[in-house]
Amino acid sequence: MAATDFKDYYAVLGVNKTASADEIKKTYRRLARKYHPDMNPGNKEAETRFKEINEAYEVLSDAEKRKKYDQFGQYWKQAGQTWPGGGAAGTNVDFSGFDFSQYSNFDEFINELLGRMGSTGAQTGTGRSGSRSYSYRTSTGRSTGFDNFSGFDGSNTSSPASATDREATLTLSLSEAFHGVQKRLNLGTEEINVRIPPGAKKGSRIRVKGKGAVSPYNQQRGDLYLNVELQPHPFFQFEGDNLVCEVPIAPDEAVLGAKIEVPTPDGNVTVNVPPGIRSGQSLRLRGKGWPNPKSDRGDQMVKITIVAPKEISAVEREYYEKIRSSRSFNPRSNLQQVRL
C-alpha cells in the first residue's frame, strides 16, 4: 500500500483516536444510516462514503485490529505475520520487529527481506482486483499479506492451505445476497464472472475452481475463495438464522389488536396483531425469512414496539383522558409489594 493510499479510519468516522468502542459504534450506526445506498439511490458519492465507513468500522470495532492499526498505521495488516524462509533450518522472521515507515509499500519490504535471506522456500505473489487486494498463499498455508477477497458452503471455515489458492472479501448488499447475483471480478490479469447463489450470509464462502494462482512447479491453477460480507440494512437484521425486523404500533392497536402491513424480502404482507400484545414481543412469519441453499426458507421475526404519539389532537386528548379516568387496569399492581 502506497503512503498516498492510506486512510485515516478515525477521520473517516469523525472520531478522536481516544474514542471509546461505544462511541465508535454509535457514530458508525448514524453514518451508516445516513449514507446507506437505500437512503441515497443513485448517489455514487454516498455509496463511496458508505463503503469507506464500513471499512473503517470493520477495523476500529475489532480490538485486536484497532491495536495493530494504532501501532503500525498503513501497514497494520502485515504486522505480526511471519515469513516462511524455507531452507534446511526453516527460518521464520517476525515482521512486527521491523520499522515499516521506511518503506513506501509492503512489496519493498519483502524484496529487501528476500535480498537479505536469499529467495529460497515457498513461492508467493500479490495482485489487485479493483479496490480490493488478494494474496497468493505460501506452501505452509500462511498469507503473505493483503488478504481481502470467499464454492458456497454457507460456513466460515479456515483459509485454504494450497500454495496456489488465493482469497478475497466480496461485499454484497442484502438484496444481492437474498436474490443471488452475478458479479464480474477483475483479477488483474483477467476478468471473471462469478454467480453468487441466493442465501449468502456473512461468513459464507464461494469457491471458484481454477481461478487461483499458477503453480510454478506443475503450471496448474489453484482456486479462488470469496469470503462474503454483507452491508448493513436499515430495516432487516440477522439473529442466528432468522431474519428480524422491528415494527412500531400505536397504543390502541396494542389494546384492541390490528391488521398491519409488514415488509418482507418478497414485499409487504398483512399481519394480525393480537389484542393485548406487549412491547418487545415478536411475531413469527414462517417461510418469509432468509433462503437456505440446503433447505426451505427460514422465518422472519417481527418485533413489536408500542409507540405513544408525541402530538395528539384535541379530540384524541379528550378520549385518552376519558380512558384514563375510567381505566380498570393497573400495569404496576405487581410492584406494590416490592421491598428490599
Side-chain angles (χ1 to χ4, degrees):
M1 179 190 296
T4 55
D5 294 333
F6 176 64
K7 294 180 181 178
D8 184 341
Y9 290 147
Y10 291 101
V12 169
L13 292 182
V15 297
N16 294 325
K17 195 172 182 178
T18 56
S20 65
D22 186 57
E23 182 181 352
I24 289 174
K25 185 176 182 180
K26 288 180 179 178
T27 302
Y28 163 74
R29 286 183 173 178
R30 174 176 57 80
L31 293 175
R33 182 174 182 82
K34 179 179 179 181
Y35 292 103
H36 195 282
D38 289 350
M39 300 295 184
N40 303 273
N43 189 332
K44 293 297 182 182
E45 291 184 4
E47 181 180 351
T48 299
R49 183 85 170 92
F50 181 74
K51 291 179 180 178
E52 291 177 344
I53 291 166
N54 278 282
E55 180 183 340
Y57 182 69
E58 181 184 359
V59 175
L60 298 185
S61 63
D62 186 299
E64 186 64 27
K65 289 181 180 178
R66 183 180 180 182
K67 181 180 178 181
K68 288 184 178 180
Y69 177 78
D70 288 343
Q71 182 177 359
F72 296 98
Q74 68 196 82
Y75 304 113
W76 70 273
K77 288 186 180 180
Q78 290 77 42
Q81 295 181 358
T82 56
W83 176 262
T91 304
N92 284 332
V93 180
D94 186 356
F95 287 176
S96 62
F98 287 87
D99 178 13
F100 288 99
S101 62
Q102 62 183 300
Y103 305 101
S104 63
N105 59 60
F106 192 64
D107 285 340
E108 286 186 8
F109 168 67
I110 291 297
N111 291 336
E112 183 172 338
L113 182 63
L114 287 176
R116 294 172 183 170
M117 296 173 53
S119 62
T120 59
Q123 302 293 319
T124 62
T126 59
R128 283 231 166 246
S129 176
S131 61
R132 300 187 178 94
S133 307
Y134 56 80
S135 68
Y136 300 177
R137 292 263 160 184
T138 68
S139 57
T140 62
R142 292 185 181 272
S143 169
T144 64
F146 301 122
D147 279 346
N148 270 344
F149 248 118
S150 320
F152 179 40
D153 60 12
S155 64
N156 191 1
T157 59
S158 60
S159 300
S162 169
T164 55
D165 287 344
R166 57 188 177 184
E167 63 179 289
T169 298
L170 181 63
T171 302
L172 304 175
S173 68
L174 211 65
S175 177
E176 289 175 331
F178 177 82
H179 296 287
V181 67
Q182 182 166 292
K183 289 286 188 178
R184 188 164 183 83
L185 305 179
N186 186 340
L187 302 184
T189 58
E190 64 178 320
E191 291 188 349
I192 63 172
N193 290 318
V194 178
R195 189 183 68 83
I196 312 300
K201 294 193 295 186
K202 182 178 180 179
S204 297
R205 291 167 59 81
I206 292 90
R207 179 186 181 191
V208 186
K209 293 184 178 181
K211 293 301 179 182
V214 177
S215 169
Y217 305 108
N218 57 19
Q219 300 304 308
Q220 293 183 351
R221 295 188 67 173
D223 299 330
L224 171 65
Y225 290 82
L226 301 178
N227 299 305
V228 173
E229 292 287 345
L230 297 182
Q231 296 174 352
H233 193 273
F235 183 74
F236 295 110
Q237 289 86 37
F238 279 103
E239 284 186 6
D241 292 330
N242 290 324
L243 196 64
V244 299
C245 64
E246 188 174 286
V247 176
I249 63 172
D252 58 283
E253 292 176 319
V255 173
L256 303 175
K259 292 182 182 292
I260 62 174
E261 293 292 307
V262 175
T264 75
D266 305 310
N268 286 1
V269 298
T270 301
V271 175
N272 289 319
V273 177
I277 195 168
R278 294 185 178 182
S279 191
Q281 283 188 267
S282 293
L283 304 175
R284 184 185 298 270
L285 306 184
R286 297 192 181 276
K288 292 296 183 182
W290 204 250
N292 188 329
K294 299 179 181 179
S295 62
D296 297 330
R297 287 268 296 273
D299 299 334
Q300 177 178 334
M301 304 301 295
V302 181
K303 183 178 180 180
I304 297 296
T305 58
I306 301 173
V307 180
K310 292 184 177 180
E311 297 181 2
I312 55 177
S313 66
V315 174
E316 289 174 318
R317 177 173 297 278
E318 178 185 353
Y319 279 102
Y320 273 117
E321 289 176 349
K322 287 182 178 180
I323 292 173
R324 180 169 61 182
S325 62
S326 58
R327 173 166 46 82
S328 59
F329 172 62
N330 181 6
R332 296 172 297 281
S333 59
N334 61 329
L335 303 181
Q336 295 177 0
Q337 304 302 320
V338 174
R339 299 289 187 277
L340 284 179

